[in-house]
Amino acid sequence: MKTKWQISGKALLAVSMSMVLALSACSKGDSGSSASDQKDENGNYKTQLTISAANLTNVKDGDLNNDFHKFWTDKFNIKWEYNYIEWDSWAEKLRLWINSGDLPDVAVWNYVHGDAMNYIDQGLLYKFPDDWKTRWPNVAAAYKLTGLGDKLEELAGGTYILPRPIYNENKPADPLTNQIGVIAIRKDWAKDVGFELKDVYTTSELNDYARLVKEKDPGKVGNKLVPLAYNSADALTTFVMANSEHSRVESAFYKGEDGKYHWGPADPETLTGLKVMQQAYKEKLLDPEFYTWKNSEGTDKFRVNGVAAVMSLGGLASYRQDLNTNMKKNLGVESDDLVHTAIVTGDDGKYRNLEQANYWSALIFNPKISKEKFERIMDLIDYSVSKDGQLLLNMGFKDKDWKYDENNELVSLLPEGTSLEDKYPSRFEGLYLLGDDFSVVNPLIKKEYRDRAVELFKEKAKLSTEGGKMAEYDWDVQLYDSKAKNQAGFDYATEYTNLILQPGDLEANWKKWVESKQSLVQPVLDELNNMKK
């Protein structure tokens, strides 16, 4: 497994600037550093700090004792108090912590703009020092790529939030679409039931495949069979959004061709997606209790239990690698022989997705964090974004887990079939730059998976601009904050699921639902349509 490590002109400039800044800082002495962050003659931090952190990575007992975690605690002389956040309780837990003043020193937060501005106004988030970009240039360079960072500074009069960049050096396509909307199907079952393998399927075509599998049971799994292993969020993506690009919370309020703002869930295309979803449920192509599934319960039917024909995968190469690892570990099979990946369009053949701004979620800090702790965490983050830090986070230790070959290409030294997660579980220290960026070039990920991921990203970009319906990222809407807009942030996965479960005529129920939301939706539309530029 090999890849070229390419450094762009921007990166070289950033490195050069970092060296100049570092030399300049040294020439002026350490008067700007906190006492606890002053280092000894070997460059080690003198004082150990206990730092509380909250992230979505599950850290089990004993995981922090491995060499990987020990490197970070030793290098930065810290002791972790780690808080695991479950996906399903992420928003609520952070909301409680922030409002009660119990936020850990640093936490990964699912950024919501209205909440962000309210928290800043109430003094519930830490304000960065004005010169932070000078001291931590790696973080500053990545931060600028998000687009959101600079806009928030203008609105808030300073930096309170670090939006987490998705891509830094390895953006896979332009325009960049959200990675969602890639499915995995059992290609061996497809062959057995006579279903054609393609790169693009409509939502109804996938239902056709699910019907064939349900009828013929090519895997011989009996009553355990789950043709479409979607939870409510997956169903929103693969049924509803595929037919209606403005059906999700991220794009629900949008400017139409008439120059006025509209509410996407009320569009006829949303009803189209709901009809396909309900049909799948009525025919038991979806699990009867799909809406109760949490976390990975749906995908586990495919990758762990081997009883599903289709799962929602997502577009990252690392997701495909994880799927392969899970199927090999749990089912004892090579997924390359069994799995085909594809993208999903609406029944009209048009591709829909969200234009992806270059950030997802954010880092926030307790407003009462000490200067010493803040600086130590930022030092760690700055290192994690550097080339050395990214290599460590994504490949492990040089000459132990990987090396450069004679052509200066990265080569993994891990045994075949072993992942870095197997060797060093629960690597949460990559707090800032998301793993999407390195996954494009990571030789620990099979080249075929990396190539396929980029191929599908490019195909999504092409379909989005050639007759597709990509929901453009509207900064005016995204950064608009009002009480009305905050009150109209519905949980659409749950709302849509409730609609397709209701007895009676779906279209009539949908119209009643749309009408029932107007008292909350119309004030937002009025505000947006009267918004001053």
Side-chain angles (χ1 to χ4, degrees):
M1 295 182 285
K2 301 180 179 181
T3 190
K4 290 280 189 184
W5 181 277
Q6 298 180 340
I7 303 179
S8 70
K10 289 183 178 179
L12 286 171
L13 178 59
V15 171
S16 301
M17 290 291 290
S18 300
M19 293 176 65
V20 171
L21 291 167
L23 290 171
S24 175
C26 289
S27 68
K28 296 179 181 178
D30 290 330
S31 59
S33 299
S34 304
S36 68
D37 277 356
Q38 290 179 356
K39 301 178 181 180
D40 61 24
E41 64 276 6
N42 297 316
N44 299 317
Y45 296 93
K46 292 180 179 180
T47 305
Q48 186 181 70
L49 297 176
T50 298
I51 292 174
S52 57
N55 203 346
L56 297 162
T57 303
N58 190 4
V59 178
K60 299 178 181 178
D61 289 343
D63 283 353
L64 292 179
N65 296 329
N66 67 45
D67 289 344
F68 180 88
H69 294 295
K70 192 173 184 298
F71 170 87
W72 295 89
T73 54
D74 288 351
K75 180 176 179 63
F76 295 97
N77 199 9
I78 57 176
K79 179 181 178 182
W80 292 112
E81 287 183 352
Y82 186 79
N83 299 269
Y84 167 54
I85 311 169
E86 291 189 354
W87 180 272
D88 291 332
S89 61
W90 185 15
E92 183 61 24
K93 180 169 284 190
L94 267 292
R95 187 178 299 113
L96 290 172
W97 277 342
I98 293 169
N99 284 298
S100 65
D102 294 326
L103 186 68
D105 294 323
V106 60
V108 173
W109 175 49
N110 189 14
Y111 178 82
V112 177
H113 181 68
D115 289 346
M117 300 311 294
N118 288 334
Y119 295 153
I120 291 170
D121 289 343
Q122 296 176 59
L124 297 176
L125 300 179
Y126 180 80
K127 184 178 182 182
F128 288 36
D130 292 340
D131 63 349
W132 75 268
K133 295 176 185 177
T134 301
R135 176 161 178 180
W136 297 289
N138 293 321
V139 180
Y143 169 89
K144 189 170 185 61
L145 293 175
T146 67
L148 177 61
D150 289 342
K151 291 180 180 295
L152 284 179
E153 286 184 28
E154 295 174 9
L155 293 172
T159 305
Y160 294 83
I161 292 167
L162 290 179
R164 302 173 74 204
I166 301 172
Y167 293 103
N168 189 15
E169 293 285 333
N170 302 297
K171 185 178 178 181
D174 191 21
L176 181 64
T177 59
N178 196 296
Q179 58 82 19
I180 58 176
V182 175
I183 51 99
I185 75 171
R186 285 290 296 261
K187 67 179 180 182
D188 55 330
W189 292 3
K191 180 180 179 181
D192 290 343
V193 301
F195 186 73
E196 181 184 3
L197 293 179
K198 302 190 297 184
D199 289 339
V200 182
Y201 294 102
T202 67
T203 48
S204 288
E205 283 178 328
L206 287 178
N207 278 2
D208 290 341
Y209 171 53
R211 290 187 190 98
L212 289 170
V213 170
K214 183 173 181 287
E215 176 188 349
K216 300 183 178 182
D217 189 13
K220 309 300 180 189
V221 297
N223 60 10
K224 295 180 180 178
L225 178 65
V226 181
L228 302 173
Y230 301 155
N231 61 21
S232 291
D234 299 330
L236 164 55
T237 298
T238 51
F239 287 125
V240 187
M241 188 197 76
N243 286 283
S244 180
E245 70 273 22
H246 296 293
S247 59
R248 295 177 62 97
V249 68
E250 300 94 333
S251 58
F253 293 101
Y254 71 98
K255 183 179 285 188
E257 293 181 359
D258 59 0
K260 296 181 179 180
Y261 281 95
H262 301 266
W263 186 52
D267 291 346
E269 292 85 356
T270 298
L271 177 60
T272 299
L274 289 171
K275 288 180 177 179
V276 181
M277 179 178 170
Q278 186 182 67
Q279 191 64 36
Y281 183 73
K282 285 183 173 181
E283 294 185 34
K284 297 184 179 179
L285 307 180
L286 290 168
D287 188 272
E289 297 184 352
F290 80 98
Y291 51 88
T292 68
W293 286 346
K294 300 183 183 299
N295 299 321
S296 64
E297 288 182 80
T299 55
D300 283 352
K301 299 292 183 183
F302 189 102
R303 62 183 188 168
V304 175
N305 307 122
V307 298
V310 183
M311 65 168 274
S312 180
L313 177 65
L316 301 185
S318 56
Y319 295 169
R320 181 63 183 87
Q321 180 93 342
D322 290 343
L323 175 59
N324 182 63
T325 300
N326 274 281
M327 293 186 74
K328 184 179 295 186
K329 177 181 178 180
N330 295 290
L331 302 173
V333 296
E334 289 290 340
S335 71
D336 293 1
D337 301 328
L338 308 177
V339 174
H340 174 69
T341 56
I343 57 182
V344 187
T345 71
D347 278 2
D348 58 3
K350 293 183 179 180
Y351 180 72
R352 296 169 174 85
N353 203 328
L354 311 174
E355 182 181 15
Q356 179 66 62
N358 192 33
Y359 75 90
W360 179 80
S361 70
L363 283 185
I364 53 176
F365 295 80
N366 187 301
K368 296 181 180 179
I369 189 174
S370 68
K371 180 181 179 183
E372 293 81 6
K373 285 188 178 184
F374 173 76
E375 291 177 348
R376 192 74 62 90
I377 295 169
M378 290 295 290
D379 285 353
L380 182 151
I381 294 172
D382 200 67
Y383 175 77
S384 77
V385 178
S386 70
K387 176 183 174 181
D388 286 345
Q390 283 293 293
L391 285 169
L392 177 63
L393 285 166
N394 294 286
M395 296 199 64
F397 297 99
K398 185 180 180 183
D399 298 327
K400 181 179 180 181
D401 302 314
W402 63 274
K403 68 177 182 179
Y404 287 113
D405 68 8
E406 63 278 4
N407 297 316
N408 202 35
E409 293 181 337
L410 294 169
V411 180
S412 173
L413 300 178
L414 294 180
E416 186 69 29
T418 300
S419 70
L420 203 62
E421 182 64 20
D422 293 329
K423 189 170 184 180
Y424 309 119
S426 309
R427 291 167 294 118
F428 67 87
E429 288 86 352
L431 291 168
Y432 191 48
L433 179 61
L434 298 181
D436 306 42
D437 186 71
F438 198 84
S439 71
V440 178
V441 298
N442 191 344
L444 287 178
I445 298 174
K446 195 172 182 178
K447 186 177 186 301
E448 288 79 2
Y449 300 159
R450 289 186 276 127
D451 290 347
R452 179 63 171 170
V454 172
E455 178 185 351
L456 291 180
F457 265 113
K458 289 182 177 178
E459 183 68 11
K460 290 195 290 184
K462 178 182 177 183
L463 292 174
S464 294
T465 54
E466 296 180 4
K469 287 190 169 185
M470 181 175 65
E472 295 183 0
Y473 196 87
D474 187 337
W475 284 106
D476 289 335
V477 174
Q478 297 298 329
L479 298 182
Y480 182 76
D481 178 37
S482 73
K483 182 179 179 180
K485 184 167 181 270
N486 293 338
Q487 290 177 331
F490 308 114
D491 178 357
Y492 289 107
T494 299
E495 298 278 355
Y496 294 150
T497 297
N498 288 339
L499 275 172
I500 68 108
L501 294 178
Q502 284 180 22
D505 180 69
L506 175 60
E507 182 170 354
N509 290 337
W510 169 72
K511 288 180 177 178
K512 290 178 183 177
W513 174 79
V514 169
E515 182 62 30
S516 73
K517 299 298 184 184
Q518 290 308 302
S519 62
L520 295 174
V521 169
Q522 192 58 49
V524 183
L525 293 176
D526 291 341
E527 290 178 1
L528 292 174
N529 284 316
N530 291 302
M531 182 169 49
K532 293 181 179 180
K533 299 297 182 181

mmCIF file of all heavy atoms in Angstrom, residues 492-524:
data_model
loop_
_atom_site.group_PDB
_atom_site.id
_atom_site.type_symbol
_atom_site.label_atom_id
_atom_site.label_comp_id
_atom_site.label_asym_id
_atom_site.label_seq_id
_atom_site.Cartn_x
_atom_site.Cartn_y
_atom_site.Cartn_z
ATOM 1 N N TYR A 492 -36.217 16.149 11.225
ATOM 2 C CA TYR A 492 -36.955 15.670 10.059
ATOM 3 C C TYR A 492 -36.948 14.152 9.929
ATOM 4 O O TYR A 492 -37.928 13.577 9.421
ATOM 5 C CB TYR A 492 -36.407 16.322 8.784
ATOM 6 C CG TYR A 492 -36.757 17.787 8.690
ATOM 7 C CD1 TYR A 492 -35.796 18.768 8.886
ATOM 8 C CD2 TYR A 492 -38.057 18.190 8.413
ATOM 9 C CE1 TYR A 492 -36.121 20.115 8.806
ATOM 10 C CE2 TYR A 492 -38.391 19.539 8.334
ATOM 11 C CZ TYR A 492 -37.417 20.497 8.532
ATOM 12 O OH TYR A 492 -37.748 21.826 8.463
ATOM 13 N N ALA A 493 -35.899 13.495 10.363
ATOM 14 C CA ALA A 493 -35.886 12.027 10.294
ATOM 15 C C ALA A 493 -37.045 11.455 11.095
ATOM 16 O O ALA A 493 -37.752 10.543 10.646
ATOM 17 C CB ALA A 493 -34.551 11.491 10.805
ATOM 18 N N THR A 494 -37.261 11.990 12.282
ATOM 19 C CA THR A 494 -38.372 11.534 13.120
ATOM 20 C C THR A 494 -39.719 11.974 12.544
ATOM 21 O O THR A 494 -40.685 11.202 12.519
ATOM 22 C CB THR A 494 -38.216 12.073 14.549
ATOM 23 O OG1 THR A 494 -36.987 11.580 15.104
ATOM 24 C CG2 THR A 494 -39.365 11.620 15.433
ATOM 25 N N GLU A 495 -39.800 13.218 12.067
ATOM 26 C CA GLU A 495 -41.039 13.732 11.504
ATOM 27 C C GLU A 495 -41.488 12.882 10.311
ATOM 28 O O GLU A 495 -42.665 12.505 10.198
ATOM 29 C CB GLU A 495 -40.865 15.185 11.068
ATOM 30 C CG GLU A 495 -40.535 16.156 12.186
ATOM 31 C CD GLU A 495 -41.769 16.625 12.962
ATOM 32 O OE1 GLU A 495 -42.899 16.252 12.558
ATOM 33 O OE2 GLU A 495 -41.595 17.353 13.947
ATOM 34 N N TYR A 496 -40.567 12.584 9.400
ATOM 35 C CA TYR A 496 -40.916 11.814 8.214
ATOM 36 C C TYR A 496 -41.290 10.375 8.576
ATOM 37 O O TYR A 496 -42.204 9.788 7.982
ATOM 38 C CB TYR A 496 -39.757 11.824 7.214
ATOM 39 C CG TYR A 496 -39.441 13.182 6.624
ATOM 40 C CD1 TYR A 496 -38.156 13.505 6.227
ATOM 41 C CD2 TYR A 496 -40.432 14.149 6.446
ATOM 42 C CE1 TYR A 496 -37.849 14.747 5.680
ATOM 43 C CE2 TYR A 496 -40.144 15.392 5.909
ATOM 44 C CZ TYR A 496 -38.853 15.684 5.525
ATOM 45 O OH TYR A 496 -38.559 16.914 4.986
ATOM 46 N N THR A 497 -40.561 9.808 9.530
ATOM 47 C CA THR A 497 -40.884 8.452 9.963
ATOM 48 C C THR A 497 -42.297 8.394 10.539
ATOM 49 O O THR A 497 -43.072 7.480 10.234
ATOM 50 C CB THR A 497 -39.866 7.960 11.003
ATOM 51 O OG1 THR A 497 -38.562 7.901 10.404
ATOM 52 C CG2 THR A 497 -40.231 6.572 11.513
ATOM 53 N N ASN A 498 -42.638 9.365 11.363
ATOM 54 C CA ASN A 498 -43.992 9.399 11.931
ATOM 55 C C ASN A 498 -45.051 9.508 10.834
ATOM 56 O O ASN A 498 -46.130 8.902 10.937
ATOM 57 C CB ASN A 498 -44.127 10.573 12.903
ATOM 58 C CG ASN A 498 -43.358 10.355 14.193
ATOM 59 O OD1 ASN A 498 -43.049 9.209 14.556
ATOM 60 N ND2 ASN A 498 -43.029 11.424 14.887
ATOM 61 N N LEU A 499 -44.749 10.259 9.803
ATOM 62 C CA LEU A 499 -45.715 10.414 8.706
ATOM 63 C C LEU A 499 -45.971 9.098 7.981
ATOM 64 O O LEU A 499 -47.128 8.755 7.693
ATOM 65 C CB LEU A 499 -45.203 11.459 7.710
ATOM 66 C CG LEU A 499 -45.512 12.919 8.023
ATOM 67 C CD1 LEU A 499 -44.771 13.838 7.067
ATOM 68 C CD2 LEU A 499 -47.013 13.181 7.939
ATOM 69 N N ILE A 500 -44.923 8.356 7.685
ATOM 70 C CA ILE A 500 -45.138 7.121 6.910
ATOM 71 C C ILE A 500 -45.721 6.011 7.779
ATOM 72 O O ILE A 500 -46.243 5.018 7.251
ATOM 73 C CB ILE A 500 -43.846 6.662 6.207
ATOM 74 C CG1 ILE A 500 -42.776 6.186 7.194
ATOM 75 C CG2 ILE A 500 -43.303 7.770 5.312
ATOM 76 C CD1 ILE A 500 -42.570 4.696 7.194
ATOM 77 N N LEU A 501 -45.662 6.171 9.094
ATOM 78 C CA LEU A 501 -46.243 5.179 9.997
ATOM 79 C C LEU A 501 -47.717 5.446 10.285
ATOM 80 O O LEU A 501 -48.435 4.544 10.745
ATOM 81 C CB LEU A 501 -45.476 5.146 11.317
ATOM 82 C CG LEU A 501 -44.019 4.664 11.277
ATOM 83 C CD1 LEU A 501 -43.396 4.745 12.671
ATOM 84 C CD2 LEU A 501 -43.922 3.248 10.732
ATOM 85 N N GLN A 502 -48.167 6.661 10.021
ATOM 86 C CA GLN A 502 -49.551 7.021 10.333
ATOM 87 C C GLN A 502 -50.532 6.245 9.449
ATOM 88 O O GLN A 502 -50.282 6.039 8.264
ATOM 89 C CB GLN A 502 -49.776 8.520 10.111
ATOM 90 C CG GLN A 502 -49.216 9.416 11.176
ATOM 91 C CD GLN A 502 -49.489 10.881 10.879
ATOM 92 O OE1 GLN A 502 -50.401 11.218 10.124
ATOM 93 N NE2 GLN A 502 -48.691 11.765 11.455
ATOM 94 N N PRO A 503 -51.662 5.830 10.019
ATOM 95 C CA PRO A 503 -52.705 5.205 9.194
ATOM 96 C C PRO A 503 -53.368 6.257 8.309
ATOM 97 O O PRO A 503 -53.260 7.454 8.554
ATOM 98 C CB PRO A 503 -53.689 4.654 10.231
ATOM 99 C CG PRO A 503 -53.491 5.527 11.433
ATOM 100 C CD PRO A 503 -52.044 5.886 11.445
ATOM 101 N N GLY A 504 -54.033 5.798 7.270
ATOM 102 C CA GLY A 504 -54.730 6.725 6.386
ATOM 103 C C GLY A 504 -53.905 7.094 5.162
ATOM 104 O O GLY A 504 -52.832 6.516 4.908
ATOM 105 N N ASP A 505 -54.377 8.053 4.405
ATOM 106 C CA ASP A 505 -53.746 8.470 3.160
ATOM 107 C C ASP A 505 -52.504 9.327 3.438
ATOM 108 O O ASP A 505 -52.583 10.338 4.149
ATOM 109 C CB ASP A 505 -54.739 9.267 2.319
ATOM 110 C CG ASP A 505 -54.144 9.721 1.004
ATOM 111 O OD1 ASP A 505 -53.895 8.863 0.142
ATOM 112 O OD2 ASP A 505 -53.905 10.936 0.863
ATOM 113 N N LEU A 506 -51.381 8.922 2.869
ATOM 114 C CA LEU A 506 -50.117 9.613 3.144
ATOM 115 C C LEU A 506 -50.156 11.060 2.667
ATOM 116 O O LEU A 506 -49.720 11.972 3.381
ATOM 117 C CB LEU A 506 -48.951 8.880 2.475
ATOM 118 C CG LEU A 506 -47.583 9.554 2.585
ATOM 119 C CD1 LEU A 506 -47.157 9.719 4.042
ATOM 120 C CD2 LEU A 506 -46.521 8.759 1.807
ATOM 121 N N GLU A 507 -50.663 11.291 1.471
ATOM 122 C CA GLU A 507 -50.679 12.653 0.948
ATOM 123 C C GLU A 507 -51.526 13.567 1.826
ATOM 124 O O GLU A 507 -51.138 14.704 2.130
ATOM 125 C CB GLU A 507 -51.196 12.677 -0.483
ATOM 126 C CG GLU A 507 -51.178 14.069 -1.098
ATOM 127 C CD GLU A 507 -51.453 14.071 -2.596
ATOM 128 O OE1 GLU A 507 -51.550 12.973 -3.178
ATOM 129 O OE2 GLU A 507 -51.561 15.176 -3.175
ATOM 130 N N ALA A 508 -52.671 13.073 2.273
ATOM 131 C CA ALA A 508 -53.531 13.874 3.151
ATOM 132 C C ALA A 508 -52.842 14.145 4.486
ATOM 133 O O ALA A 508 -52.902 15.270 5.016
ATOM 134 C CB ALA A 508 -54.859 13.148 3.380
ATOM 135 N N ASN A 509 -52.159 13.121 5.010
ATOM 136 C CA ASN A 509 -51.443 13.294 6.276
ATOM 137 C C ASN A 509 -50.292 14.288 6.130
ATOM 138 O O ASN A 509 -50.042 15.105 7.029
ATOM 139 C CB ASN A 509 -50.906 11.948 6.763
ATOM 140 C CG ASN A 509 -52.005 11.014 7.236
ATOM 141 O OD1 ASN A 509 -53.093 11.463 7.608
ATOM 142 N ND2 ASN A 509 -51.732 9.721 7.215
ATOM 143 N N TRP A 510 -49.613 14.203 5.003
ATOM 144 C CA TRP A 510 -48.491 15.126 4.746
ATOM 145 C C TRP A 510 -48.993 16.567 4.648
ATOM 146 O O TRP A 510 -48.390 17.483 5.213
ATOM 147 C CB TRP A 510 -47.779 14.707 3.459
ATOM 148 C CG TRP A 510 -46.784 15.701 2.937
ATOM 149 C CD1 TRP A 510 -45.568 16.006 3.462
ATOM 150 C CD2 TRP A 510 -46.928 16.514 1.760
ATOM 151 N NE1 TRP A 510 -44.937 16.961 2.696
ATOM 152 C CE2 TRP A 510 -45.759 17.291 1.647
ATOM 153 C CE3 TRP A 510 -47.934 16.655 0.810
ATOM 154 C CZ2 TRP A 510 -45.567 18.194 0.601
ATOM 155 C CZ3 TRP A 510 -47.743 17.557 -0.233
ATOM 156 C CH2 TRP A 510 -46.572 18.319 -0.327
ATOM 157 N N LYS A 511 -50.090 16.763 3.949
ATOM 158 C CA LYS A 511 -50.648 18.126 3.823
ATOM 159 C C LYS A 511 -51.059 18.678 5.188
ATOM 160 O O LYS A 511 -50.822 19.863 5.483
ATOM 161 C CB LYS A 511 -51.837 18.111 2.873
ATOM 162 C CG LYS A 511 -51.456 17.926 1.412
ATOM 163 C CD LYS A 511 -52.686 17.927 0.510
ATOM 164 C CE LYS A 511 -52.287 17.804 -0.960
ATOM 165 N NZ LYS A 511 -53.475 17.762 -1.859
ATOM 166 N N LYS A 512 -51.646 17.832 6.023
ATOM 167 C CA LYS A 512 -52.013 18.265 7.374
ATOM 168 C C LYS A 512 -50.766 18.618 8.177
ATOM 169 O O LYS A 512 -50.759 19.592 8.942
ATOM 170 C CB LYS A 512 -52.804 17.163 8.082
ATOM 171 C CG LYS A 512 -54.195 16.930 7.540
ATOM 172 C CD LYS A 512 -54.873 15.773 8.291
ATOM 173 C CE LYS A 512 -56.249 15.479 7.701
ATOM 174 N NZ LYS A 512 -56.889 14.314 8.370
ATOM 175 N N TRP A 513 -49.734 17.806 8.006
ATOM 176 C CA TRP A 513 -48.469 18.049 8.728
ATOM 177 C C TRP A 513 -47.851 19.374 8.286
ATOM 178 O O TRP A 513 -47.411 20.167 9.122
ATOM 179 C CB TRP A 513 -47.514 16.889 8.464
ATOM 180 C CG TRP A 513 -46.148 17.074 9.031
ATOM 181 C CD1 TRP A 513 -45.758 16.905 10.327
ATOM 182 C CD2 TRP A 513 -44.974 17.463 8.306
ATOM 183 N NE1 TRP A 513 -44.420 17.161 10.466
ATOM 184 C CE2 TRP A 513 -43.909 17.512 9.235
ATOM 185 C CE3 TRP A 513 -44.707 17.763 6.978
ATOM 186 C CZ2 TRP A 513 -42.611 17.856 8.877
ATOM 187 C CZ3 TRP A 513 -43.415 18.100 6.605
ATOM 188 C CH2 TRP A 513 -42.392 18.153 7.551
ATOM 189 N N VAL A 514 -47.817 19.614 6.977
ATOM 190 C CA VAL A 514 -47.279 20.877 6.452
ATOM 191 C C VAL A 514 -48.055 22.047 7.039
ATOM 192 O O VAL A 514 -47.464 23.047 7.496
ATOM 193 C CB VAL A 514 -47.342 20.903 4.915
ATOM 194 C CG1 VAL A 514 -47.037 22.308 4.384
ATOM 195 C CG2 VAL A 514 -46.360 19.903 4.322
ATOM 196 N N GLU A 515 -49.364 21.941 7.054
ATOM 197 C CA GLU A 515 -50.191 23.012 7.592
ATOM 198 C C GLU A 515 -49.922 23.221 9.080
ATOM 199 O O GLU A 515 -49.884 24.358 9.562
ATOM 200 C CB GLU A 515 -51.670 22.690 7.360
ATOM 201 C CG GLU A 515 -52.631 23.768 7.844
ATOM 202 C CD GLU A 515 -52.439 25.094 7.128
ATOM 203 O OE1 GLU A 515 -52.027 25.083 5.942
ATOM 204 O OE2 GLU A 515 -52.675 26.144 7.759
ATOM 205 N N SER A 516 -49.716 22.111 9.806
ATOM 206 C CA SER A 516 -49.499 22.211 11.260
ATOM 207 C C SER A 516 -48.195 22.909 11.600
ATOM 208 O O SER A 516 -48.029 23.429 12.709
ATOM 209 C CB SER A 516 -49.510 20.819 11.894
ATOM 210 O OG SER A 516 -48.326 20.094 11.576
ATOM 211 N N LYS A 517 -47.264 22.952 10.665
ATOM 212 C CA LYS A 517 -45.955 23.570 10.914
ATOM 213 C C LYS A 517 -45.915 25.040 10.504
ATOM 214 O O LYS A 517 -44.926 25.733 10.766
ATOM 215 C CB LYS A 517 -44.866 22.807 10.157
ATOM 216 C CG LYS A 517 -44.703 21.337 10.551
ATOM 217 C CD LYS A 517 -44.295 21.182 11.996
ATOM 218 C CE LYS A 517 -44.053 19.709 12.341
ATOM 219 N NZ LYS A 517 -43.751 19.531 13.780
ATOM 220 N N GLN A 518 -46.957 25.517 9.841
ATOM 221 C CA GLN A 518 -46.904 26.859 9.273
ATOM 222 C C GLN A 518 -46.752 27.958 10.320
ATOM 223 O O GLN A 518 -46.144 28.996 10.054
ATOM 224 C CB GLN A 518 -48.150 27.118 8.424
ATOM 225 C CG GLN A 518 -48.175 26.309 7.134
ATOM 226 C CD GLN A 518 -46.913 26.465 6.318
ATOM 227 O OE1 GLN A 518 -46.545 27.574 5.927
ATOM 228 N NE2 GLN A 518 -46.219 25.354 6.076
ATOM 229 N N SER A 519 -47.283 27.742 11.517
ATOM 230 C CA SER A 519 -47.154 28.776 12.549
ATOM 231 C C SER A 519 -45.703 28.998 12.947
ATOM 232 O O SER A 519 -45.340 30.076 13.432
ATOM 233 C CB SER A 519 -47.981 28.398 13.780
ATOM 234 O OG SER A 519 -47.502 27.188 14.350
ATOM 235 N N LEU A 520 -44.862 27.991 12.731
ATOM 236 C CA LEU A 520 -43.435 28.122 13.013
ATOM 237 C C LEU A 520 -42.624 28.445 11.759
ATOM 238 O O LEU A 520 -41.625 29.165 11.815
ATOM 239 C CB LEU A 520 -42.911 26.826 13.646
ATOM 240 C CG LEU A 520 -43.463 26.466 15.024
ATOM 241 C CD1 LEU A 520 -42.966 25.090 15.457
ATOM 242 C CD2 LEU A 520 -43.056 27.515 16.055
ATOM 243 N N VAL A 521 -43.057 27.904 10.628
ATOM 244 C CA VAL A 521 -42.299 28.062 9.387
ATOM 245 C C VAL A 521 -42.509 29.436 8.753
ATOM 246 O O VAL A 521 -41.543 30.085 8.308
ATOM 247 C CB VAL A 521 -42.692 26.957 8.380
ATOM 248 C CG1 VAL A 521 -42.135 27.258 6.990
ATOM 249 C CG2 VAL A 521 -42.195 25.604 8.870
ATOM 250 N N GLN A 522 -43.743 29.906 8.693
ATOM 251 C CA GLN A 522 -44.029 31.152 7.971
ATOM 252 C C GLN A 522 -43.280 32.367 8.533
ATOM 253 O O GLN A 522 -42.783 33.192 7.753
ATOM 254 C CB GLN A 522 -45.531 31.424 7.960
ATOM 255 C CG GLN A 522 -45.936 32.538 6.994
ATOM 256 C CD GLN A 522 -45.513 32.249 5.557
ATOM 257 O OE1 GLN A 522 -45.767 31.164 5.044
ATOM 258 N NE2 GLN A 522 -44.839 33.207 4.922
ATOM 259 N N PRO A 523 -43.157 32.495 9.874
ATOM 260 C CA PRO A 523 -42.363 33.631 10.381
ATOM 261 C C PRO A 523 -40.915 33.615 9.890
ATOM 262 O O PRO A 523 -40.331 34.683 9.639
ATOM 263 C CB PRO A 523 -42.433 33.455 11.900
ATOM 264 C CG PRO A 523 -43.723 32.730 12.133
ATOM 265 C CD PRO A 523 -43.845 31.789 10.975
ATOM 266 N N VAL A 524 -40.348 32.427 9.735
ATOM 267 C CA VAL A 524 -38.978 32.335 9.227
ATOM 268 C C VAL A 524 -38.929 32.782 7.770
ATOM 269 O O VAL A 524 -38.044 33.551 7.364
ATOM 270 C CB VAL A 524 -38.427 30.898 9.356
ATOM 271 C CG1 VAL A 524 -36.980 30.841 8.884
ATOM 272 C CG2 VAL A 524 -38.543 30.403 10.781
#
